[in-house]
Amino acid sequence: MDHSSNLSLREKVTVKKVSTAEEKEHCRAVRSLVFVEEQNVPAELEYDALDEVKQTLHFVAYFKNLPQGAARLRPYSSLHVGKVERVAVLKEARGQGIGALLMNALEDQARKENFHTLLINAQLHAAPFYQRLGYTPVGEVFLEANIEHISMEKKLED
Ligand code: COA
């Protein structure tokens, strides 16, 4: 990624709620690079039926028209609770605020969808990232896809 314009990078990153097949393919490409290739998550675990459910919302972050990050949000168990999943930023684009922008856009949409609580099964190493964004750990560390995770939640305000 071009780091020369770091100061204004946040203004140049666009996060979109996915509405086209091409944008969805961009999400898949980011997840493939981050989860399947970098973290060795089996592809059959990474892509599941929930990706195709109408209620699942996908988000993609672009810099200079190139996809840099992705995330998804779906309704979870009871009314008004949403689950945040598959949050990923390409390795070379991390540490520049793209993950936070992605989460901000996802949360703005979650409020519009009337979710009052968001849940995340966070990879343990990423827990400080979510904590900075207002998520609180809940319960014990557990293994998923052979990676340590902890559940986290955030109450959304209007
Ligand atoms: N540990 C501690 N702090 C972290 C962190 C980490 N692993 N990752 C980010 N932060 C902090 C940043 O320092 C920044 O703090 P600031 O607001 O004081 O500047 C803040 O969180 C926002 O960071 P940002 O640059 O927006 O995060 P990012 O674009 O690097 O994306 C991830 C963060 C977790 C999405 C990214 O590291 C990633 O894709 N990792 C691999 C996939 C993954 O594990 N996803 C999580 C699945 S639950």
Side-chain angles (χ1 to χ4, degrees):
M1 183 177 230
D2 175 10
H3 292 254
S4 61
S5 53
N6 238 356
L7 278 178
S8 56
L9 181 127
R10 280 164 198 261
E11 288 151 44
K12 291 182 177 169
V13 171
T14 314
V15 180
K16 296 186 77 177
K17 177 162 77 76
V18 166
S19 63
T20 67
E22 189 188 29
E23 289 163 0
K24 192 147 179 216
E25 194 47 47
H26 289 158
C27 287
R28 201 179 164 91
V30 170
R31 286 167 52 183
S32 180
L33 285 168
V34 173
F35 293 118
V36 180
E37 289 189 27
E38 183 186 336
Q39 296 192 342
N40 296 315
V41 174
E44 60 273 23
L45 277 186
E46 174 52 28
Y47 309 110
D48 61 17
L50 291 166
D51 278 326
E52 308 311 325
V53 170
K54 203 177 113 209
Q55 289 82 357
T56 301
L57 303 179
H58 296 269
F59 299 84
V60 57
Y62 291 100
F63 177 73
K64 295 185 175 172
N65 290 324
L66 294 173
Q68 305 292 334
R72 81 177 187 192
L73 167 69
R74 65 179 175 94
Y76 184 71
S77 65
S78 62
L79 214 53
H80 303 307
V81 179
K83 190 137 185 269
V84 179
E85 296 174 315
R86 309 315 199 256
V87 181
V89 171
L90 296 182
K91 198 170 190 175
E92 61 274 18
R94 288 179 200 153
Q96 301 178 83
I98 296 176
L101 288 172
L102 198 53
M103 290 298 295
N104 291 342
L106 180 152
E107 289 177 5
D108 285 348
Q109 186 62 38
R111 288 185 189 90
K112 287 184 194 154
E113 306 282 331
N114 288 323
F115 290 121
H116 61 57
T117 302
L118 293 182
L119 302 178
I120 300 180
N121 284 345
Q123 292 188 18
L124 195 57
H125 72 87
F129 164 73
Y130 294 115
Q131 245 162 335
R132 277 181 130 76
L133 294 166
Y135 291 78
T136 312
V138 191
E140 304 294 323
V141 173
F142 60 94
L143 277 183
E144 195 177 276
N146 222 20
I147 297 170
E148 285 187 309
H149 283 74
I150 187 149
S151 296
M152 303 185 84
E153 72 167 33
K154 178 174 178 173
K155 306 273 180 218
L156 295 180
E157 286 146 30
D158 294 328

